Amino acid sequence: MPATIFVLSGPNLNLLGLREPEIYGTDTLDDIAGMLEDRARALDLEIDMRQSNHEGHLLDWLHEAQAVGAKAVLLNAGALTHTSLALYDAVRSITTPVVEVHLSNPAAREAYRHKSYVGMAARGTISGFGAQSYMLALEAAARF
């Protein structure tokens, strides 16, 4: 049975492809899921892709990833990246490795996006490569 990688996306990521395409690109979350699933099959991995606009769902899914023995979590927490101590605590409280993912490069954007609570707890961060950020994160997670 292939190992599972959870791919968790936070607030407003359901609007990818429509929301500020000059920043986030034109790929939808479904487009990204398809790319990840194709590559995961080649790596003998399974993707469990989820999105929520609610912080508590992301927390529950991080806990679930550990409970079910997921190989890793790719987490794009959206704006919660910069505000959520609860996500910081959740990432630190599980042993499942978490890779922070961002389509844009938060360090090159508004000052309030420069601090990442998720990044402070994650194994690593991949950002700034659009939809390819998810693919690069998957490649990294496959090697854990």
Side-chain angles (χ1 to χ4, degrees):
M1 179 172 241
T4 300
I5 306 281
F6 275 45
V7 181
L8 306 180
S9 297
N12 298 311
L13 291 163
N14 56 306
L15 299 176
L16 286 181
L18 302 172
R19 177 183 175 223
E20 299 178 276
E22 67 281 1
I23 295 173
Y24 301 108
T26 57
D27 289 310
T28 67
L29 206 51
D30 286 341
D31 294 335
I32 292 169
M35 290 185 282
L36 286 170
E37 288 168 1
D38 289 346
R39 183 63 185 136
R41 265 191 299 282
L43 295 168
D44 195 31
L45 296 169
E46 184 175 302
I47 296 296
D48 186 336
M49 187 126 176
R50 305 174 187 192
Q51 186 277 329
S52 180
N53 291 319
H54 304 282
E55 182 179 34
H57 292 158
L58 296 171
L59 297 170
D60 291 342
W61 294 337
L62 285 164
H63 300 165
E64 182 184 341
Q66 176 164 301
V68 301
K71 181 176 182 69
V73 175
L74 310 184
L75 174 59
N76 183 343
L80 293 172
T81 297
H82 317 292
T83 63
S84 180
L85 290 171
L87 283 174
Y88 168 85
D89 286 343
V91 172
R92 286 189 46 96
S93 71
I94 64 173
T95 57
T96 306
V98 175
V99 179
E100 179 186 36
V101 179
H102 294 287
L103 297 160
S104 68
N105 178 358
R109 296 189 57 199
E110 304 90 347
Y112 62 85
R113 295 185 193 275
H114 295 179
K115 184 171 189 174
S116 170
Y117 289 104
V118 171
M120 286 188 266
R123 173 78 63 93
T125 299
I126 298 179
S127 65
F129 299 100
Q132 196 63 26
S133 292
Y134 282 89
M135 300 298 286
L136 294 166
L138 177 63
E139 294 289 337
R143 286 156 179 74
F144 293 152

